[in-house]
Amino acid sequence: MNNVTKSMKGVVKGMDKGLASMDVDKISSIMDKFEQQFEDLDVKAAYMDTAMNATTASATPVDQVDELVKMVADENNLELGEEFGSLLPVGKIKEPEKKKEEEVVPVEDDLEARLANLRG
């Protein structure tokens, strides 16, 4: 993290010099360096976030967490609701349910039925 801080400090100093001279090429070059540093920082932050989430999610027993949440809810007279039991552990994404083809009504058929209803 110290390396990122030092390089960002250098880029900011370069921005000051570039803006003072009003050299378009110099400003463009400095802005490119700044953008690259910012992207590197984003990648490092995303990597750390993913690593931390994976570590804490896999190290925490799900049953104990659920029991603790239920215990706290009981102590405070809270209702968890039906959705609580169907939630997945952190980091897991529920697959969306596929729609049945029968449910999809073509727009043209619907419009024709409505027109026939109006005429009849």
Side-chain angles (χ1 to χ4, degrees), residues 11-80:
V11 169
V12 170
K13 284 182 181 179
M15 284 179 173
D16 288 339
K17 291 178 184 176
L19 289 174
S21 68
M22 294 305 286
D23 183 7
V24 177
D25 292 332
K26 196 173 194 180
I27 292 172
S28 175
S29 152
I30 293 168
M31 291 305 291
D32 289 341
K33 285 181 185 177
F34 180 77
E35 186 175 346
Q36 182 63 42
Q37 291 291 328
F38 201 72
E39 287 174 2
D40 290 347
L41 183 61
D42 277 347
V43 168
K44 289 178 183 179
Y47 177 77
M48 289 299 296
D49 189 40
T50 302
M52 294 299 289
N53 283 339
T55 302
T56 56
S58 64
T60 307
V62 176
D63 296 337
Q64 290 179 0
V65 171
D66 289 345
E67 189 62 35
L68 179 62
V69 169
K70 289 177 185 176
M71 186 176 72
V72 170
D74 290 342
E75 288 175 2
N76 295 296
N77 296 325
L78 299 173
E79 292 184 24
L80 296 176

